[in-house]
Amino acid sequence: MARRCDICGKQPQTGHKISHSHILTKRRWLPNLQTVRVNVDGRIKRLRVCTRCLKAGKVTRAL
């Protein structure tokens, strides 16, 4: 399963970690994904949603 938000499609980004001596090593920034029970078309599904989408109210959580 990919580390991707099911709502907005946010996924890991890549870049460099820069040490004090300016040695570059590769690193990844992972999105803050949460597994949430969501109402989709009247059914309850489990989706992986980033916290930005949760905070913005883009999903309706199932009780």
Side-chain angles (χ1 to χ4, degrees):
M1 189 187 289
R3 286 188 170 121
R4 173 177 271 239
C5 176
D6 291 327
I7 304 300
C8 67
K10 185 184 279 192
Q11 59 189 4
Q13 291 186 334
T14 59
H16 288 103
K17 177 181 174 184
I18 303 177
S19 69
H20 179 70
S21 61
H22 214 283
I23 295 173
L24 303 178
T25 55
K26 292 185 177 183
R27 64 156 293 180
R28 295 173 82 197
W29 285 269
L30 300 177
N32 189 0
L33 297 178
Q34 305 294 321
T35 303
V36 179
R37 292 176 62 213
V38 178
N39 279 328
V40 178
D41 299 328
R43 295 182 138 175
I44 295 175
K45 280 187 159 184
R46 282 207 166 129
L47 297 179
R48 294 178 71 171
V49 181
C50 69
T51 52
R52 181 178 282 187
C53 290
L54 281 175
K55 190 173 180 181
K58 294 183 180 181
V59 294
T60 55
R61 296 182 79 155
L63 296 176

